[in-house]
Every structure is written in structure tokens, then in C-alpha cells.
């Protein structure tokens, strides 16, 4: 028995697996399920990329062609030669950039107030704020339009920026993340004479980069891809955002499908790059923000 045990131990140290023990996979078993799902979700993006180098005749063919006969860049030339396309791109960049910056600032201030400060009606205000997330945009569309009209912002980029300056989701997500941070760090700073704002900007926010990255990504994605509100608030083509400008490529009797596909590829690229660059922070924020209620 002693010799057998010694032999088994030596075999284990040498990396030899014992009979009957299943060999471990070099990756998580969940990847066997997630990899096919990822391929399924990537099919529309792959089809968009392939269609962008097809001709209009190939796109309109039935049954559709699964592969182009050759690489045709006519759609990209049509989009890039449009004189207003750079202006549309710049408009979308301005609106999305301001919305991201304002949500980070105001969302951090509001989230920290709900997470660390106790004042009269704070719980009620938090519940009311979260309740607004359940109100569909169709119900607030007309009041928002009337408010923007009273401010004289209709048909300007201000009409797209002001309603997106701060969102309840940004405040709630940052509040949840702030609750997961230890209070001892802030108490030590208070003992050194730091004010609440200095504690927030010098200690709390540097530790909250995952949550800030998540708010930035989701705000950028929502604002960048918005079509409904710009369609209502903007009339002049020089104030169009990218999504609204691409909609002009679809006519009543004829649609430049190659240009639509090429324009959407250009539109999707900034979102993909932003998400890939902050993917780890995004996942870390989602897993951390739900630790405390």
C-alpha cells in the first residue's frame, strides 16, 4: 500500500493524470455556449460589412448574394463625397461629447449625494428619480419639445444637448458603485480637513474609473445612435446628426443601399472602438455596482 501511494504521488507531481479523472479544459466550459452565441450576434455586423462593398444590384438581388462579386467602394465614395457628411459627423461628435462630459460630472455629484449624504426626502427623491426611467420617451416627447421651443433651441444642437445633460441611469449607476467603496478612505480625508467636493474629486472618482467608463460608453452609445429626437427637433440639414443624415439616403422611390450600408459601417466604428477600449472597465463596473443596495 505504501509503495502504491508513493507511486501515485510521484505520478501526480510529474503531471501524469490518474485513470478515471477527467482532464480539465484549457478554458471555461461556459465558452462552449458563449462562443456560438457570440457568432450569432456578430452575423448582422458581418453582413453589414459585406453589404457595404456590394453594388446596389447585388444588394437588391433575390435571393440575396451572400458574397460580392468584387470589392465595390462606390457606397463609401458616395458617402464621403457628400458635402454635408463631415458636418453631420462633427454634429454627432459634439452632441455625444457634451452629453458624456455632463453625465459624468452631474451624475457623479448626484450619485455621491444619494450614496453618502442623508437629507430630508432623499429616499423619496431617489425612488422618484428611478421611476422616471420607466416612463417611455413617447410620453415626454411633446413636453420636451415645448420646453426646448420656449428656450429658442429648436433646430439647433442645443435642443439635442440639453435633454441629455444628465440621466437617472448615470446617477443610479454611480450611486451603486460609490456604495461599494469603503467609507474609511473618505473619513481619513475628512480628518485631514478635506471638504466633500475635494473628497469626491480627489479620492472617490479616481477609484470609480470602471463606473465612469461604463456611464461614458452607454451615454455615448445612446446619444450617438439616437434618431427619433433629432428627427423631431432638427429641421435644417446643416444641423443634422449622423443618424439623421444617413436617413436622407433612403428615398421614397429609390434607395442608395450601398451608401446606407457604408455610412452605417462608418457610424458603428466609433462605438465599437469605444466599447473594446473600455470593455474590462465596463464588466468590472457592472459586477461591482450591484454589491450594495
Amino acid at each position: 500500500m505504501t509503495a502504491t501511494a508513493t507511486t501515485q504521488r510521484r505520478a501526480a507531481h510529474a503531471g501524469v493524470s490518474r485513470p478515471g479523472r477527467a482532464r480539465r479544459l484549457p478554458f471555461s466550459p461556459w465558452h462552449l455556449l458563449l462562443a456560438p452565441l457570440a457568432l450569432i450576434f456578430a452575423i448582422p455586423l458581418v453582413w453589414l460589412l459585406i453589404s457595404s462593398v456590394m453594388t446596389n444590384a447585388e444588394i437588391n438581388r433575390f435571393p440575396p448574394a451572400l458574397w460580392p462579386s468584387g470589392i465595390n467602394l462606390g457606397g463609401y465614395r458616395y458617402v464621403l463625397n457628400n458635402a454635408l457628411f463631415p458636418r453631420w459627423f462633427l454634429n454627432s461628435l459634439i452632441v455625444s461629447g457634451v452629453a458624456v462630459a455632463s453625465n459624468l460630472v452631474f451624475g457623479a455629484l448626484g450619485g455621491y449625494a444619494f450614496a453618502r449624504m442623508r437629507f430630508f426626502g432623499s429616499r423619496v427623491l431617489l425612488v422618484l428619480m428611478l421611476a422616471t426611467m420607466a416612463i417611455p420617451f413617447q410620453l415626454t416627447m411633446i413636453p420636451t419639445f415645448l420646453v426646448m421651443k420656449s428656450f429658442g433651441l429648436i433646430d439647433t444642437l442645443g435642443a439635442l444637448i440639453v435633454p441629455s445633460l444628465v440621466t437617472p441611469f448615470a446617477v443610479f449607476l454611480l450611486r451603486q458603485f460609490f456604495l461599494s467603496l469603503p467609507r474609511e478612505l473618505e473619513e481619513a480625508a475628512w480628518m485631514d480637513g478635506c471638504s466633500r467636493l475635494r473628497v469626491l474629486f480627489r479620492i472617490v472618482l479616481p477609484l470609480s474609473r470602471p463606473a465612469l467608463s461604463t456611464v461614458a460608453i452607454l451615454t455615448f452609445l445612446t446619444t450617438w445612435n439616437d434618431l427619433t429626437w433629432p428627427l423631431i427637433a432638427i429641421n435644417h440639414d446643416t444641423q443634422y446628426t449622423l443618424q439623421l443624415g444617413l436617413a436622407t439616403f433612403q428615398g421614397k422611390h429609390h434607395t442608395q443601399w450601398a451608401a446606407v450600408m457604408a455610412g452605417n459601417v462608418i457610424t458603428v466604428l466609433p462605438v465599437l472602438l469605444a466599447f473594446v477600449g473600455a470593455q474590462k472597465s465596463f464588466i468590472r463596473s457592472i459586477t461591482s455596482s450591484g454589491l450594495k443596495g
Side-chain angles (χ1 to χ4, degrees):
M1 294 294 293
T2 305
T4 304
T6 304
T7 304
Q8 289 179 350
R9 283 197 298 270
R10 288 177 179 176
H13 286 300
V16 179
S17 60
R18 284 180 286 181
R21 177 179 292 183
R23 303 185 71 179
R24 289 181 129 184
L25 295 173
F27 51 83
S28 173
W30 281 104
H31 289 177
L32 297 176
L33 174 64
L34 297 178
L37 288 177
L39 292 176
I40 293 175
F41 282 108
I43 288 176
L45 186 61
V46 174
W47 176 249
L48 176 67
L49 185 61
I50 293 175
S51 300
S52 66
V53 294
M54 288 183 177
T55 62
N56 287 324
E58 289 176 329
I59 296 176
N60 293 323
R61 183 185 303 169
F62 186 83
L66 298 179
W67 194 258
S69 58
I71 296 179
N72 177 49
L73 300 179
Y76 289 95
R77 284 193 292 267
Y78 185 92
V79 171
L80 297 177
N81 289 336
N82 191 311
L84 291 176
F85 184 82
R87 179 65 181 268
W88 299 340
F89 193 93
L90 180 61
N91 290 342
S92 291
L93 201 60
I94 292 174
V95 173
S96 300
V98 174
V100 168
S102 62
N103 271 271
L104 291 178
V105 174
F106 297 131
L109 293 173
Y112 186 76
F114 282 119
R116 292 291 190 252
M117 301 174 64
R118 291 292 177 263
F119 51 90
F120 178 76
S122 59
R123 293 286 183 181
V124 176
L125 287 176
L126 179 62
V127 172
L128 291 177
M129 183 194 69
L130 295 179
T132 61
M133 297 174 63
I135 301 176
F137 174 72
Q138 289 77 7
L139 293 181
T140 61
M141 184 171 54
I142 295 177
T144 304
F145 179 84
L146 294 177
V147 171
M148 294 300 104
K149 184 178 180 181
S150 65
F151 289 162
L153 296 177
I154 293 299
D155 204 18
T156 66
L157 295 182
L160 308 181
I161 294 174
V162 172
S164 303
L165 287 178
V166 63
T167 60
F169 177 78
V171 176
F172 176 71
L173 181 64
L174 291 174
R175 171 192 178 269
Q176 293 299 102
F177 194 90
F178 293 158
L179 288 175
S180 68
L181 299 177
R183 288 178 175 267
E184 290 77 11
L185 295 175
E186 301 171 51
E187 292 173 356
W190 292 337
M191 293 179 64
D192 289 338
C194 291
S195 63
R196 283 193 177 273
L197 282 179
R198 191 171 182 181
V199 169
L200 173 62
F201 286 101
R202 292 294 183 90
I203 297 176
V204 177
L205 291 186
L207 296 175
S208 305
R209 290 177 183 175
L212 296 174
S213 300
T214 301
V215 171
I217 292 173
L218 295 180
T219 303
F220 180 81
L221 188 145
T222 302
T223 311
W224 184 269
N225 292 330
D226 189 18
L227 174 63
T228 306
W229 178 239
L231 187 63
I232 297 170
I234 302 299
N235 299 319
H236 200 272
D237 56 359
T238 58
Q239 302 297 323
Y240 282 0
T241 58
L242 199 55
Q243 299 293 341
L244 190 56
L246 292 178
T248 61
F249 294 157
Q250 303 182 35
K252 184 176 181 180
H253 302 289
H254 180 68
T255 300
Q256 295 285 345
W257 286 114
V260 172
M261 298 298 181
N264 278 285
V265 170
I266 298 174
T267 303
V268 167
L269 280 178
V271 178
L272 285 179
L273 293 176
F275 180 78
V276 170
Q279 183 179 7
K280 292 183 179 180
S281 298
F282 179 82
I283 297 173
R284 181 183 172 190
S285 171
I286 295 300
T287 56
S288 300
S289 58
L291 293 178
K292 295 184 180 181

